[in-house]
Amino acid sequence: LLPHPHLRSPMVAAAGTPMPPPGGAPAQRILFCANLCVDHVCEVPTFPKEDSGQRALDYRKAIGGNGANSTRVLTQLRNGRSRVSWLGPVPRRDEPDAAFVLGELEAAGVDVELLEEVGGDGLPSSFILASRDTAARTIVSARRGTREMSAEHFAAAAGRAFAEGATMGVPCWCHLECRQSPAVMLKMATSWHAEASSLAAHPPLSLELEKNWDLDELMPLLRLCDHLLIDQGFAELQLADNILQRCHDAKELPSGPDGTPPSKRPKLSSAPEGAAAAPVGGLGQHPALRFLRALRRAVGELPDGRSPCWVCTWGKSGSFALEAASGETFFQPAILQEKAVDSVGAGDTFIASYLHARIAGAGTQAALACGAAVAGRKVGQVGFANLRSAVPQALE
């Protein structure tokens, strides 16, 4: 997939495109709509048994949530080439936890001027029990009376972002975490497309899927998205819900002996040192690819001129992708660390790295490789500092 013309040459404005900001200001702007919360992390030697007690090895209060993690990583990777703007709800700017996390975002270079103040008892919070011996974690979250961002606020924020293109950077990408009902998310996607139609080259829209929304309700939304970033848990729930059987009567994709199109077998990039082995049983029968092909049949005809890419991450196995127009599939092994230190935010890091690669003009395989490299580095360290050094040189 080639980058959009205004992404390749941001200093040249096409007809109908606002001129980029002068001086050293970023020429591009990325809108990122995802959860923001405060994390209370207790690190323990090993997970405690039920009805037992133990003293934590460490406690820290930290900024958290998909939005906080991905925007900080994306800002770091873009390195001044794009303004990354977080969109989402806070109870009030001056609420103590909100002030803390917004200050952390701004210190990391993330723009927060498009937020919505919605009231509530406090900023959403997550309580994380992290096991030092396995690097696994259990997360319990609470909204604390803070509602999600309204579709009306998103529409106004998107309009403001396009109107501010001359000073804040021309919007070049929008990412939505599917946190609300498909009907609400569809309103947001429609608003983005309405605003984006003012540009000669339509900036992409990506959607992150974790919650198990009803697939039939999701269909209109999926058809409006240029990129889907799908969590393993979502795919497994859909497979358990018999997506394969439900799509049985849909038009079949051509397939070879292993279930993949004869000339479209999964591409495997050169596996660097530390890469995970290919999934047992052959790539073509991996649950991620079975899910992606079933989803492709369920979606049916694509909108004119759209060639979406759907990505499904699968933990230690790696990531899989399907280019919906051609049916071509891809696989990228995970980059495993000698010792897993902190897995919190690894998936968010993958998404930020994938978006960075796409904005930089990378194709599907290179974007998956970038995501694997940076997410792998994240697992080997606490926090998100110095991840840019893990980006493949071609995408620097």
Side-chain angles (χ1 to χ4, degrees):
L1 297 178
L2 294 175
H4 290 267
H6 77 286
L7 301 185
R8 288 196 297 268
S9 305
M11 298 306 294
V12 179
T17 302
M19 288 299 294
Q28 304 169 333
R29 192 176 193 180
I30 302 164
L31 275 58
F32 203 103
C33 312
N35 188 42
L36 180 68
C37 67
V38 60
D39 285 346
H40 300 273
V41 185
C42 283
E43 188 175 353
V44 295
T46 188
F47 276 115
K49 295 180 180 179
E50 189 175 357
D51 290 329
S52 68
Q54 62 174 274
R55 186 177 297 275
L57 298 173
D58 185 36
Y59 164 82
R60 64 184 182 273
K61 176 182 176 181
I63 180 173
N66 300 33
N69 298 336
S70 291
T71 55
R72 286 180 294 162
V73 174
L74 188 54
T75 297
Q76 184 185 150
L77 302 186
R78 295 306 298 151
N79 194 31
R81 288 166 289 189
S82 304
R83 186 186 309 275
V84 179
S85 296
W86 173 76
L87 281 78
V90 297
R92 301 180 313 278
R93 280 180 180 266
D94 61 354
E95 188 271 333
D97 284 339
F100 166 70
V101 298
L102 293 174
E104 292 288 302
L105 280 181
E106 290 181 311
V110 179
D111 167 55
V112 298
E113 291 306 308
L114 299 178
L115 62 76
E116 181 183 19
E117 293 181 293
V118 301
D121 299 327
L123 192 74
S125 300
S126 291
F127 302 87
I128 303 175
L129 196 62
S131 173
R132 183 170 288 185
D133 61 348
T134 63
R137 76 275 192 266
T138 295
I139 303 174
V140 179
S141 299
R143 291 298 302 175
R144 299 176 65 191
T146 298
R147 66 164 172 80
E148 299 287 357
M149 180 175 63
S150 68
E152 292 74 20
H153 177 82
F154 174 84
R160 174 181 166 182
F162 280 90
E164 294 176 340
T167 56
M168 298 290 284
V170 179
C172 70
W173 196 288
C174 180
H175 179 80
L176 301 175
E177 179 190 0
C178 191
R179 296 190 54 78
Q180 302 187 68
S181 71
V184 173
M185 300 307 300
L186 179 62
K187 290 181 180 178
M188 294 185 184
T190 302
S191 296
W192 170 257
H193 283 292
E195 296 293 341
S197 64
S198 65
L199 300 184
H202 199 296
L205 174 68
S206 55
L207 181 72
E208 180 179 349
L209 285 171
E210 289 184 329
K211 296 181 181 292
N212 190 31
W213 300 109
D214 180 83
L215 193 59
D216 292 332
E217 294 180 15
L218 278 173
M219 283 301 165
L221 173 62
L222 301 188
R223 294 188 180 103
L224 289 182
C225 298
D226 302 286
H227 297 265
L228 299 181
L229 293 140
I230 302 165
D231 180 71
Q232 174 182 345
F234 178 88
E236 287 180 326
L237 287 169
Q238 290 295 331
L239 288 169
D241 196 31
N242 295 319
I243 184 175
L244 299 178
Q245 182 62 37
R246 289 163 62 195
C247 298
H248 180 73
D249 295 331
K251 183 179 179 181
E252 293 288 336
L253 298 178
S255 61
D258 63 351
T260 62
S263 60
K264 307 291 185 184
R265 302 189 187 282
K267 293 182 177 179
L268 176 62
S269 69
S270 299
E273 185 177 354
V280 177
L283 293 177
Q285 293 304 315
H286 191 278
L289 288 179
R290 293 171 60 218
F291 163 75
L292 289 173
R293 287 195 293 268
L295 181 63
R296 176 66 189 90
R297 290 193 292 271
V299 167
E301 187 175 352
L302 297 171
D304 291 343
R306 186 154 293 153
S307 181
C309 182
W310 301 341
V311 176
C312 185
T313 56
W314 212 269
K316 293 180 180 179
S317 293
S319 56
F320 300 79
L322 181 143
E323 291 182 353
S326 67
E328 188 166 4
T329 52
F330 302 79
F331 169 66
Q332 169 64 44
I335 307 299
L336 303 182
Q337 303 298 302
E338 184 175 344
K339 177 175 175 55
V341 175
D342 179 19
S343 63
V344 175
D348 304 331
T349 298
F350 178 94
I351 289 173
S353 306
Y354 175 89
L355 265 58
H356 162 69
R358 286 300 201 178
I359 293 168
T364 299
Q365 191 67 64
L368 296 182
C370 182
V374 184
R377 176 71 61 83
K378 164 65 197 86
V379 172
Q381 66 179 51
V382 175
F384 301 93
N386 303 315
L387 293 177
R388 185 168 165 242
S389 61
V391 174
Q393 189 172 2
L395 296 174
E396 265 294 312

